[in-house]
Amino acid sequence: MKISERFVQWTSEIVTSTPNLTFALRPGFGLQVIITANAANVQHILKSHFDNYIKGEVITNTLRDFLGDGIVNVDGDSWKLQRQVSSHEFNTKSLRKFVEHVVGHELSKRLIPILRNAADNKSVVNFQDILQRFSFDNICNIAFGYDPAYLSPSLPQEKFAVAFEQAVKLSSERFNSLSPYSWKIKRALNIGSEKQLKIAINQVREFAKEIIRKNKHGNTYSIEPVDLLSRFLSSGHSDEDCVADIVINFILAGRDTTSAALTWFFWLIYNHPEVEIEILREIREISKAPTYDEVKDMVYTHASLCESMRLYPPVPMDSKEAVNDDVLPDGTTVKKGTRVIYHPYAMGRVKKVWGADWAEFRPTRWLQREVEGEKWSFVSRDPFTYPVFQAGPRICLGKDMAFLQMKRMVACVLRQFRVVPVAEPVFISDMGTKMKGGFPVRIEERATK
């Protein structure tokens, strides 16, 4: 395995072995990067001293060709405005419609028929690819009001989705360059991977602008009438490049995160049948097409997803840049311009926090009940100890939507099928967590009860 493919595990092993859960990495060229899994440091960076820790030029310049000035890639007033407008998309009314209509349609008309066909034919399918398609259709509906039908039964190579995947892959490879000058030279000469990236980005942006123009003229592809694109256009954002940036950023944020979480979740529950039995018990207490309220109350499934993401967070590492000199709560000195990486993957492996059994997949660490036999109640964790959805002012807007989507999908799939892996997965990460080469599985239909 390439060093870059094991960077997350390697740095996790180092940082969890240090007394203060923090260490300095010197990659060369006179640079220093501070990596921390210390919850007090994370709270300092993401909340207490929020204004001193920004995205910074390294990240924004590397991703600007693809993400432009969208919410994922900016700081300051531009970020605040985009977040304010976007927040209206995640109210209870919108979440209810999303769960009961958008996700419900994707499950009943696409995902379930594909899985039933795989079960009937006893064929092996790449479940990671299927989950990515499922998430892509859902996030496009939320962001654009557009249904790419990427999860159609033929599993088509939908042009926008393929170009988006290529843009993500090649943009993330820039971070693995020995020096930023290497990819910048290739970009200037328009050769190699940078030429391919330019083509992919152009395809993504042109498609986005086409949808924007149609929306402006009153046409819509959406199953539901309200989406992020409509909200931004109605709030006075009319510049196509600006609006395209915003929508592309939200697709990136919602596309791989939920699919990555679900991929590792299905692997873990297969290896822990006692957990699957408890989830099934909860699923059988709700209706076959569960409502928003029923999905919201799936406490054991919620805990199982949290536990899965503790071990395999969709974004295993994230970084900030110091605006001014600073000292972290553990005494680590941070010089102006230094990159500080907080490490959710490592933080889920800290023995002092999670106990001697931290390596075990145990959903009940998130649950409690006052009296034996009563229903479980969920016990949330400090977001700075468990920053899977970030924390502080930039905490993920789509957190509730992600949980509702995942729980609705889990309920629908596990009620009818068993997902049986046929190979041991290999953990890798580019902009998010993945299984190298996919997640090959067999689908087995459950006996109805």
Side-chain angles (χ1 to χ4, degrees):
M1 183 183 287
K2 297 176 184 177
I3 293 176
S4 61
E5 289 182 351
R6 207 182 176 279
F7 185 75
V8 171
Q9 298 97 309
W10 174 64
T11 50
S12 173
E13 289 159 9
I14 295 172
V15 76
T16 53
S17 69
T18 61
N20 61 343
L21 299 172
T22 305
F23 80 101
L25 180 67
R26 293 174 176 81
F29 303 101
L31 299 174
Q32 175 176 279
V33 178
I34 293 170
I35 300 178
T36 187
N38 184 313
N41 288 348
V42 174
Q43 182 169 358
H44 181 93
I45 294 161
L46 298 185
K47 183 181 179 184
S48 308
H49 291 70
F50 175 76
D51 290 336
N52 193 49
Y53 292 92
I54 61 174
K55 286 285 182 179
E57 290 187 2
V58 172
I59 298 294
T60 56
N61 289 344
T62 303
L63 296 176
R64 179 160 281 120
D65 289 336
F66 180 33
L67 299 181
D69 293 319
I71 191 169
V72 173
N73 207 40
V74 291
D75 296 293
D77 291 340
S78 178
W79 165 76
K80 287 178 184 176
L81 177 61
Q82 291 182 52
R83 187 175 176 92
Q84 181 182 16
V85 176
S86 305
S87 64
H88 298 294
E89 187 64 19
F90 301 96
N91 58 42
T92 300
K93 183 179 178 182
S94 294
L95 292 176
R96 188 183 297 275
K97 285 184 177 181
F98 174 69
V99 169
E100 296 180 1
H101 297 281
V102 177
V103 178
H105 175 271
E106 191 75 4
L107 287 167
S108 63
K109 302 299 182 183
R110 293 176 183 160
L111 181 60
I112 295 306
I114 287 171
L115 297 184
R116 181 160 289 115
N117 182 65
D120 291 344
N121 293 316
K122 296 181 170 53
S123 56
V124 174
V125 294
N126 181 354
F127 206 42
Q128 179 168 263
D129 176 59
I130 287 172
L131 292 172
Q132 286 172 340
R133 289 169 181 268
F134 172 76
S135 296
F136 191 79
D137 281 355
N138 284 329
I139 194 61
C140 282
N141 261 290
I142 292 299
F144 271 143
Y146 167 73
D147 179 12
Y150 197 33
L151 192 61
S152 294
S154 62
L155 299 180
Q157 290 299 299
E158 205 270 343
K159 188 176 179 181
F160 176 59
V162 172
F164 201 96
E165 173 66 31
Q166 182 80 332
V168 170
K169 177 177 177 292
L170 295 174
S171 293
S172 66
E173 286 180 4
R174 286 180 169 181
F175 291 104
N176 299 330
S177 301
L178 291 175
S179 163
Y181 294 111
S182 61
W183 67 258
K184 288 179 180 179
I185 290 169
K186 287 198 292 182
R187 182 179 64 177
L189 297 173
N190 195 31
I191 59 174
S193 59
E194 286 297 314
K195 181 179 180 179
Q196 295 173 343
L197 176 58
K198 184 178 180 180
I199 292 169
I201 289 173
N202 285 341
Q203 289 175 337
V204 169
R205 299 191 76 80
E206 281 307 307
F207 185 86
K209 289 178 185 179
E210 181 185 340
I211 298 295
I212 291 166
R213 291 180 202 120
K214 288 181 177 178
N215 188 293
K216 280 181 176 179
H217 288 91
N219 295 323
T220 178
Y221 290 79
S222 183
I223 294 169
E224 295 298 310
V226 178
D227 51 74
L228 278 166
L229 172 57
S230 300
R231 289 192 188 277
F232 276 95
L233 290 175
S234 65
S235 68
H237 290 74
S238 57
D239 180 84
E240 287 183 3
D241 287 310
C242 173
V243 178
D245 287 347
I246 293 166
V247 174
I248 289 168
N249 275 249
F250 271 95
I251 292 175
L252 176 69
R255 184 194 74 131
D256 282 345
T257 47
T258 50
S259 63
L262 286 167
T263 299
W264 289 102
F265 169 83
F266 278 100
W267 162 252
L268 287 166
I269 63 164
Y270 171 77
N271 287 283
H272 296 82
E274 73 285 0
V275 173
E276 186 172 14
I277 288 169
E278 286 300 314
I279 293 172
L280 278 169
R281 184 174 289 125
E282 184 171 69
I283 290 169
R284 286 167 179 156
E285 290 176 355
I286 61 177
S287 56
K288 290 185 179 180
T291 64
Y292 165 83
D293 293 313
E294 286 178 314
V295 172
K296 194 177 175 183
D297 291 339
M298 291 172 64
V299 175
Y300 191 90
T301 305
H302 191 99
S304 302
L305 286 162
C306 287
E307 181 72 343
S308 174
M309 288 186 285
R310 176 181 70 84
L311 294 169
Y312 298 104
V315 181
M317 302 169 72
D318 200 0
S319 71
K320 304 292 180 183
E321 182 179 301
V323 176
N324 297 300
D325 292 353
D326 194 20
V327 178
L328 298 179
D330 68 358
T332 302
T333 300
V334 181
K335 295 294 183 184
K336 176 182 178 179
T338 299
R339 294 215 66 73
V340 181
I341 296 174
Y342 69 96
H343 206 311
Y345 181 93
M347 295 177 79
R349 289 161 167 73
V350 176
K351 184 178 178 180
K352 289 179 183 177
V353 174
W354 302 102
D357 68 343
W358 66 263
E360 292 181 23
F361 176 64
R362 185 168 64 81
T364 52
R365 72 173 84 241
W366 297 85
L367 299 168
Q368 68 176 18
R369 48 187 169 197
E370 305 258 331
V371 181
E372 188 65 33
E374 283 191 355
K375 286 189 174 183
W376 291 108
S377 60
F378 183 76
V379 181
S380 61
R381 292 279 182 158
D382 170 2
F384 306 103
T385 299
Y386 180 76
V388 168
F389 292 92
Q390 287 211 51
R394 287 192 88 128
I395 194 166
C396 177
L397 277 171
K399 176 182 175 181
D400 291 342
M401 181 172 282
F403 270 116
L404 290 166
Q405 177 183 348
M406 290 189 290
K407 287 155 70 175
R408 177 80 163 83
M409 184 269 190
V410 167
C412 194
V413 171
L414 288 186
R415 181 187 288 274
Q416 301 177 63
F417 305 104
R418 287 187 71 235
V419 178
V420 182
V422 298
E424 189 86 15
V426 176
F427 176 97
I428 59 168
S429 177
D430 44 33
M431 283 191 187
T433 301
K434 284 186 172 67
M435 291 184 180
K436 187 176 183 179
F439 184 31
V441 303
R442 293 188 186 280
I443 305 297
E444 296 178 357
E445 198 143 8
R446 291 189 191 276
T448 54
K449 289 189 177 182

